[in-house]
Amino acid sequence: MHSETMIRIGAAVAGLAVVSGAFGAHGLAETLVGRSGEHWDLATRYQMYHAGALLVAGLLAARGYRTSIAAWCFLAGTVIFSGTLYGLAIAGPRWLGAITPIGGSLLIVGWAALALARPPRSP
């Protein structure tokens, strides 16, 4: 994934996290009670954290670091982790909870890949 693409996707994912947080707080305030509210809040927070991670990966890629694996893991992990939690929050099928850890695992792999991203070669 190209650095510009990472940055654009990271910004879009962050914007959607703000929209999701606002929607949860206002549009779904009466629906998201108890555990459902906790799921929605966690999904929104992790979506924003990993939008920031995508931005960092993009900025590092622009400086020559190899961050594509990290970026793909952050993107897929966010979609799976946050997506399944959003689904659980709005009374989705309980089996979604079994998929959530796959997204979390991808996020962890993304952080490891970012930590191990190779810097540009010195001239």
Side-chain angles (χ1 to χ4, degrees):
M1 186 181 313
H2 190 270
S3 63
E4 262 185 51
T5 304
M6 290 179 210
I7 293 169
R8 289 177 194 275
I9 291 172
V13 170
L16 289 172
V18 173
V19 169
S20 176
F23 184 60
H26 302 291
L28 296 175
E30 293 180 18
T31 304
L32 299 176
V33 294
R35 193 85 169 128
S36 292
E38 292 171 18
H39 285 140
W40 195 274
D41 182 57
L42 185 62
T44 303
R45 280 188 288 125
Y46 270 64
Q47 183 176 337
M48 184 60 83
Y49 297 153
H50 291 91
L54 275 164
L55 292 170
V56 168
L59 293 172
L60 287 172
R63 298 191 73 179
Y65 284 77
R66 296 174 187 217
T67 61
S68 285
I69 292 171
W72 280 111
C73 287
F74 290 143
L75 181 58
T78 298
V79 168
I80 295 169
F81 184 84
S82 293
T84 57
L85 287 176
Y86 289 134
L88 284 170
I90 55 173
R94 290 283 157 222
W95 58 263
L96 286 174
I99 298 172
T100 306
I102 295 169
S105 296
L106 284 167
L107 296 174
I108 293 166
V109 170
W111 285 109
L114 188 63
L116 298 172
R118 295 197 317 176
R121 294 180 189 240
S122 299

